[in-house]
Amino acid sequence: MDEGDDYRAAARALADADVAAALTGAGVSTESGVPDFRSEGGVWDEYDERDFTIARFQRDPDAFWTDWLDLQEGLIPDDVEPNPAHESLAALEEAGLLDAVITQNVDGLHQDAGSRTVVEIHGSGARASCRGCGASFDAAVARERAREAGGAPACENCGDVLKPDAVLFGERLPDAPLRGARRWADESEAFLVVGSSLTVEPAASLPRRAADGATLVEVNTESTTASSLAAYTFREKAGEAIPELASAAVELQG
Ligand code: APR
Protein backbone atom coordinates (compact mmCIF):
# COMPACT_ATOMS: atom_id res chain seq x y z
CA MET A 1 0.00 0.00 0.00
CA ASP A 2 1.52 3.38 -0.89
CA GLU A 3 1.11 6.56 1.10
CA GLY A 4 -1.65 7.81 -1.18
CA ASP A 5 -3.73 4.74 -0.24
CA ASP A 6 -3.30 5.60 3.44
CA TYR A 7 -4.45 9.16 2.80
CA ARG A 8 -7.48 7.93 0.91
CA ALA A 9 -8.36 5.40 3.63
CA ALA A 10 -7.99 7.98 6.41
CA ALA A 11 -10.01 10.45 4.34
CA ARG A 12 -12.69 7.77 3.90
CA ALA A 13 -12.90 7.36 7.69
CA LEU A 14 -13.42 11.11 8.01
CA ALA A 15 -15.97 11.28 5.21
CA ASP A 16 -17.95 8.33 6.63
CA ALA A 17 -17.98 9.59 10.23
CA ASP A 18 -21.18 11.20 11.51
CA VAL A 19 -19.13 13.01 14.15
CA ALA A 20 -15.46 13.90 13.73
CA ALA A 21 -13.09 16.01 15.81
CA ALA A 22 -9.42 16.91 15.93
CA LEU A 23 -7.11 17.37 18.92
CA THR A 24 -4.20 19.70 18.24
CA GLY A 25 -1.03 20.63 20.09
CA ALA A 26 1.85 23.00 19.59
CA GLY A 27 3.13 21.01 16.57
CA VAL A 28 0.27 22.37 14.46
CA SER A 29 1.69 25.89 14.88
CA THR A 30 5.44 25.32 14.44
CA GLU A 31 5.14 25.94 10.71
CA SER A 32 3.70 29.36 11.60
CA GLY A 33 6.91 30.15 13.47
CA VAL A 34 5.64 29.43 16.99
CA PRO A 35 7.99 26.98 18.72
CA ASP A 36 6.53 23.88 20.34
CA PHE A 37 7.38 22.97 23.94
CA ARG A 38 9.34 19.73 23.92
CA SER A 39 11.18 19.48 20.59
CA GLU A 40 14.81 20.52 20.45
CA GLY A 41 14.87 24.31 20.66
CA GLY A 42 11.34 24.24 22.09
CA VAL A 43 10.03 26.52 24.83
CA TRP A 44 11.13 24.24 27.68
CA ASP A 45 14.69 24.16 26.31
CA GLU A 46 14.91 27.91 26.83
CA TYR A 47 12.69 28.37 29.88
CA ASP A 48 12.07 26.49 33.09
CA GLU A 49 8.48 25.26 33.27
CA ARG A 50 8.59 25.60 37.09
CA ASP A 51 8.58 29.38 36.57
CA PHE A 52 5.14 29.15 34.99
CA THR A 53 3.15 27.39 37.70
CA ILE A 54 0.06 28.79 39.38
CA ALA A 55 1.90 28.42 42.72
CA ARG A 56 4.64 30.78 41.53
CA PHE A 57 2.11 33.25 40.16
CA GLN A 58 0.38 33.29 43.57
CA ARG A 59 3.64 33.50 45.51
CA ASP A 60 5.35 36.14 43.40
CA PRO A 61 3.18 37.64 40.63
CA ASP A 62 5.82 40.29 39.78
CA ALA A 63 8.53 37.71 39.09
CA PHE A 64 6.03 35.54 37.22
CA TRP A 65 5.02 38.42 34.93
CA THR A 66 8.64 39.37 34.23
CA ASP A 67 9.32 35.82 33.01
CA TRP A 68 5.99 35.63 31.19
CA LEU A 69 6.78 38.79 29.22
CA ASP A 70 10.24 37.50 28.48
CA LEU A 71 8.83 34.22 27.14
CA GLN A 72 6.15 35.93 25.03
CA GLU A 73 8.55 38.48 23.58
CA GLY A 74 11.44 36.09 23.15
CA LEU A 75 9.65 33.24 21.48
CA ILE A 76 6.43 34.31 19.86
CA PRO A 77 6.72 36.43 16.72
CA ASP A 78 4.38 39.44 16.45
CA ASP A 79 2.96 38.66 13.04
CA VAL A 80 1.96 35.01 13.42
CA GLU A 81 -0.35 33.70 10.71
CA PRO A 82 -2.19 30.38 10.38
CA ASN A 83 -0.43 27.80 8.21
CA PRO A 84 -1.92 25.24 5.77
CA ALA A 85 -2.64 22.80 8.64
CA HIS A 86 -4.89 25.33 10.43
CA GLU A 87 -6.44 26.34 7.11
CA SER A 88 -7.20 22.77 6.07
CA LEU A 89 -8.82 21.97 9.42
CA ALA A 90 -11.03 25.03 8.92
CA ALA A 91 -11.81 23.89 5.37
CA LEU A 92 -12.82 20.44 6.67
CA GLU A 93 -15.25 22.07 9.10
CA GLU A 94 -16.61 24.29 6.33
CA ALA A 95 -17.18 21.17 4.19
CA GLY A 96 -19.12 19.52 7.03
CA LEU A 97 -16.43 16.87 7.56
CA LEU A 98 -15.13 18.02 10.94
CA ASP A 99 -17.27 19.13 13.88
CA ALA A 100 -14.73 20.54 16.31
CA VAL A 101 -11.11 21.33 16.95
CA ILE A 102 -10.00 20.69 20.53
CA THR A 103 -6.76 22.54 21.07
CA GLN A 104 -4.11 22.74 23.76
CA ASN A 105 -2.76 25.86 22.05
CA VAL A 106 -3.47 29.37 23.28
CA ASP A 107 -2.32 31.10 20.08
CA GLY A 108 -5.77 31.60 18.51
CA LEU A 109 -4.54 30.42 15.10
CA HIS A 110 -7.40 27.97 14.52
CA GLN A 111 -9.89 30.81 14.96
CA ASP A 112 -7.78 33.07 12.72
CA ALA A 113 -7.90 30.37 10.03
CA GLY A 114 -11.70 30.29 10.19
CA SER A 115 -12.43 27.29 12.45
CA ARG A 116 -15.66 28.06 14.29
CA THR A 117 -15.97 25.32 16.91
CA VAL A 118 -12.68 25.56 18.77
CA VAL A 119 -12.46 24.10 22.27
CA GLU A 120 -9.55 25.72 24.09
CA ILE A 121 -8.76 23.33 26.93
CA HIS A 122 -5.67 25.25 28.08
CA GLY A 123 -7.35 28.64 28.01
CA SER A 124 -6.52 31.55 25.76
CA GLY A 125 -3.47 33.71 25.21
CA ALA A 126 -5.68 36.51 23.93
CA ARG A 127 -7.06 37.64 27.29
CA ALA A 128 -6.02 38.24 30.90
CA SER A 129 -8.35 38.36 33.90
CA CYS A 130 -8.40 40.05 37.27
CA ARG A 131 -8.02 37.67 40.21
CA GLY A 132 -10.15 39.94 42.35
CA CYS A 133 -13.18 41.10 40.36
CA GLY A 134 -12.91 38.85 37.29
CA ALA A 135 -12.71 41.76 34.80
CA SER A 136 -11.32 40.64 31.46
CA PHE A 137 -8.65 42.50 29.47
CA ASP A 138 -6.97 42.14 26.11
CA ALA A 139 -3.70 40.25 26.71
CA ALA A 140 -1.69 42.84 24.75
CA VAL A 141 -3.04 45.58 27.04
CA ALA A 142 -2.16 43.51 30.12
CA ARG A 143 1.37 42.92 28.80
CA GLU A 144 1.82 46.61 28.07
CA ARG A 145 0.75 47.42 31.62
CA ALA A 146 3.12 44.77 32.98
CA ARG A 147 5.98 46.33 31.00
CA GLU A 148 5.18 49.75 32.42
CA ALA A 149 4.83 48.39 35.95
CA GLY A 150 7.95 46.23 35.72
CA GLY A 151 5.90 43.40 37.23
CA ALA A 152 2.33 42.21 37.57
CA PRO A 153 -0.25 44.49 35.92
CA ALA A 154 -3.02 45.78 38.17
CA CYS A 155 -6.74 45.76 37.42
CA GLU A 156 -8.01 49.25 36.64
CA ASN A 157 -11.30 48.48 38.42
CA CYS A 158 -10.20 46.97 41.72
CA GLY A 159 -6.38 47.08 41.79
CA ASP A 160 -5.90 43.32 42.15
CA VAL A 161 -3.42 41.49 39.89
CA LEU A 162 -4.19 40.22 36.39
CA LYS A 163 -3.42 36.67 35.32
CA PRO A 164 -3.09 35.52 31.71
CA ASP A 165 -6.08 33.38 30.70
CA ALA A 166 -3.67 30.67 29.54
CA VAL A 167 -3.83 27.76 32.00
CA LEU A 168 -0.65 27.53 34.09
CA PHE A 169 0.98 24.36 35.38
CA GLY A 170 -0.87 23.12 38.42
CA GLU A 171 -3.95 25.18 37.59
CA ARG A 172 -7.34 23.59 37.15
CA LEU A 173 -8.51 23.40 33.55
CA PRO A 174 -11.66 25.37 32.71
CA ASP A 175 -14.64 23.03 33.28
CA ALA A 176 -16.81 23.65 30.26
CA PRO A 177 -14.06 23.21 27.61
CA LEU A 178 -12.81 20.04 29.30
CA ARG A 179 -16.32 18.60 29.42
CA GLY A 180 -16.79 19.57 25.77
CA ALA A 181 -13.49 17.96 24.75
CA ARG A 182 -14.42 14.70 26.49
CA ARG A 183 -17.83 14.70 24.85
CA TRP A 184 -16.30 15.16 21.38
CA ALA A 185 -13.84 12.34 22.10
CA ASP A 186 -16.66 10.03 23.23
CA GLU A 187 -18.98 10.85 20.36
CA SER A 188 -16.50 10.98 17.50
CA GLU A 189 -16.35 8.26 14.89
CA ALA A 190 -13.16 9.72 13.44
CA PHE A 191 -10.61 11.53 15.61
CA LEU A 192 -7.50 13.31 14.34
CA VAL A 193 -4.55 13.91 16.66
CA VAL A 194 -2.19 16.53 15.31
CA GLY A 195 1.15 17.83 16.61
CA SER A 196 1.02 16.92 20.28
CA SER A 197 3.52 14.89 22.28
CA LEU A 198 0.56 13.83 24.49
CA THR A 199 2.60 14.24 27.65
CA VAL A 200 0.22 16.52 29.53
CA GLU A 201 -3.01 15.28 31.10
CA PRO A 202 -5.93 15.36 30.66
CA ALA A 203 -5.36 16.06 26.93
CA ALA A 204 -3.09 13.03 26.71
CA SER A 205 -6.03 10.74 27.56
CA LEU A 206 -8.40 12.07 24.91
CA PRO A 207 -7.09 9.91 22.03
CA ARG A 208 -7.43 6.75 24.17
CA ARG A 209 -10.94 7.76 25.07
CA ALA A 210 -11.79 8.46 21.42
CA ALA A 211 -10.18 5.24 20.15
CA ASP A 212 -12.90 3.26 21.91
CA GLY A 213 -15.39 4.14 19.20
CA ALA A 214 -13.49 6.17 16.62
CA THR A 215 -10.97 5.62 13.88
CA LEU A 216 -7.88 7.40 15.16
CA VAL A 217 -5.64 9.26 12.70
CA GLU A 218 -2.34 10.65 13.93
CA VAL A 219 -0.22 13.33 12.27
CA ASN A 220 3.01 13.90 14.17
CA THR A 221 6.67 14.04 13.28
CA GLU A 222 7.44 11.61 16.14
CA SER A 223 5.79 8.64 17.78
CA THR A 224 3.44 9.19 20.75
CA THR A 225 1.19 7.17 23.04
CA ALA A 226 -1.55 7.50 20.41
CA SER A 227 0.56 5.89 17.69
CA SER A 228 -0.19 2.29 18.66
CA LEU A 229 -3.92 3.06 18.83
CA ALA A 230 -4.06 4.88 15.50
CA ALA A 231 -5.47 3.21 12.42
CA TYR A 232 -3.46 5.65 10.28
CA THR A 233 -0.26 7.41 11.25
CA PHE A 234 1.41 10.10 9.18
CA ARG A 235 4.96 10.92 10.31
CA GLU A 236 4.92 14.16 8.42
CA LYS A 237 4.61 17.85 8.95
CA ALA A 238 1.07 18.88 9.74
CA GLY A 239 1.24 21.62 7.10
CA GLU A 240 1.78 18.96 4.47
CA ALA A 241 -0.27 16.02 5.76
CA ILE A 242 -3.47 17.82 6.79
CA PRO A 243 -4.00 19.55 3.41
CA GLU A 244 -3.47 16.18 1.68
CA LEU A 245 -5.97 14.48 3.98
CA ALA A 246 -8.48 17.32 3.68
CA SER A 247 -8.41 17.41 -0.10
CA ALA A 248 -8.82 13.60 -0.28
CA ALA A 249 -11.80 13.80 2.11
CA VAL A 250 -13.47 16.66 0.24
CA GLU A 251 -12.97 14.77 -3.04
CA LEU A 252 -14.62 11.63 -1.61
CA GLN A 253 -17.51 13.69 -0.38
CA GLY A 254 -18.07 15.18 -3.70
N1 APR B 1 4.01 18.68 12.20
C1 APR B 1 3.68 17.61 12.97
N2 APR B 1 4.16 17.42 14.22
C2 APR B 1 4.99 18.36 14.71
C3 APR B 1 5.39 19.50 13.96
C4 APR B 1 4.88 19.64 12.65
N3 APR B 1 5.19 20.67 11.85
N4 APR B 1 6.23 20.25 14.73
C5 APR B 1 6.34 19.61 15.91
N5 APR B 1 5.62 18.46 15.90
C6 APR B 1 5.41 17.50 17.01
C7 APR B 1 6.60 17.27 17.90
O1 APR B 1 7.41 16.21 17.40
C8 APR B 1 5.93 16.89 19.23
O2 APR B 1 5.64 15.50 19.29
O3 APR B 1 4.42 18.07 17.84
C9 APR B 1 4.62 17.65 19.19
C10 APR B 1 4.60 18.88 20.09
O4 APR B 1 4.62 18.45 21.44
P1 APR B 1 4.83 19.47 22.66
O5 APR B 1 5.92 20.40 22.34
O6 APR B 1 4.95 18.66 23.89
O7 APR B 1 3.47 20.32 22.64
P2 APR B 1 2.05 19.93 23.24
O8 APR B 1 1.80 18.46 23.15
O9 APR B 1 1.05 20.82 22.63
O10 APR B 1 2.23 20.31 24.77
C11 APR B 1 1.14 20.17 25.65
O11 APR B 1 2.36 21.22 27.42
O12 APR B 1 3.76 22.81 28.35
C12 APR B 1 2.47 22.47 28.07
O13 APR B 1 0.71 23.92 28.18
C13 APR B 1 1.68 23.48 27.28
O14 APR B 1 -0.29 23.06 25.90
C14 APR B 1 1.05 22.67 26.17
C15 APR B 1 1.15 21.25 26.69
Side-chain angles (χ1 to χ4, degrees):
M1 195 150 92
D2 71 17
E3 201 171 64
D5 291 332
D6 260 5
Y7 275 116
R8 278 187 291 278
R12 165 67 64 198
L14 258 186
D16 286 350
D18 284 335
V19 180
L23 168 68
T24 66
V28 79
S29 295
T30 52
E31 290 160 81
S32 294
V34 183
D36 68 8
F37 293 93
R38 295 175 182 80
S39 294
E40 218 182 304
V43 174
W44 303 138
D45 258 4
E46 307 274 326
Y47 293 86
D48 186 341
E49 58 182 74
R50 287 169 302 188
D51 289 340
F52 301 96
T53 63
I54 187 70
R56 180 163 192 242
F57 172 84
Q58 284 162 342
R59 202 170 51 241
D60 191 348
D62 289 329
F64 167 87
W65 267 97
T66 302
D67 290 337
W68 181 258
L69 280 183
D70 194 38
L71 185 152
Q72 302 285 318
E73 287 164 2
L75 288 179
I76 300 168
D78 285 337
D79 49 352
V80 185
E81 302 271 355
N83 68 55
H86 300 104
E87 284 157 6
S88 302
L89 289 170
L92 278 170
E93 185 181 8
E94 180 69 28
L97 294 167
L98 189 73
D99 296 289
V101 175
I102 303 158
T103 190
Q104 298 166 82
N105 302 342
V106 299
D107 56 26
L109 290 176
H110 287 301
Q111 293 91 330
D112 290 350
S115 285
R116 286 185 300 269
T117 305
V118 181
V119 181
E120 293 181 307
I121 54 176
H122 289 176
S124 164
R127 312 285 303 168
S129 302
C130 173
R131 301 293 276 175
C133 69
S136 174
F137 298 88
D138 188 277
V141 171
R143 285 198 299 273
E144 189 50 43
R145 238 183 260 166
R147 247 173 250 123
E148 285 162 16
C155 174
E156 64 194 26
N157 300 330
C158 74
D160 211 330
V161 291
L162 306 187
K163 189 193 89 60
D165 282 358
V167 174
L168 306 179
F169 282 107
E171 191 177 11
R172 203 189 144 96
L173 265 57
D175 277 338
L178 183 58
R179 267 202 313 278
R182 288 181 168 147
R183 188 170 48 80
W184 287 118
D186 290 343
E187 291 178 1
S188 286
E189 293 172 11
F191 197 77
L192 307 183
V193 189
V194 186
S196 175
S197 64
L198 300 175
T199 46
V200 173
E201 291 290 357
S205 296
L206 293 172
R208 203 174 328 120
R209 202 167 166 130
D212 242 359
T215 303
L216 208 65
V217 178
E218 184 181 53
V219 177
N220 202 305
T221 45
E222 63 175 16
S223 163
T224 73
T225 52
S227 305
S228 61
L229 305 171
Y232 305 100
T233 303
F234 300 97
R235 287 273 164 269
E236 285 167 54
K237 290 190 168 173
E240 288 159 18
I242 303 291
E244 189 92 20
L245 188 61
S247 63
V250 168
E251 205 171 291
L252 279 173
Q253 186 192 35

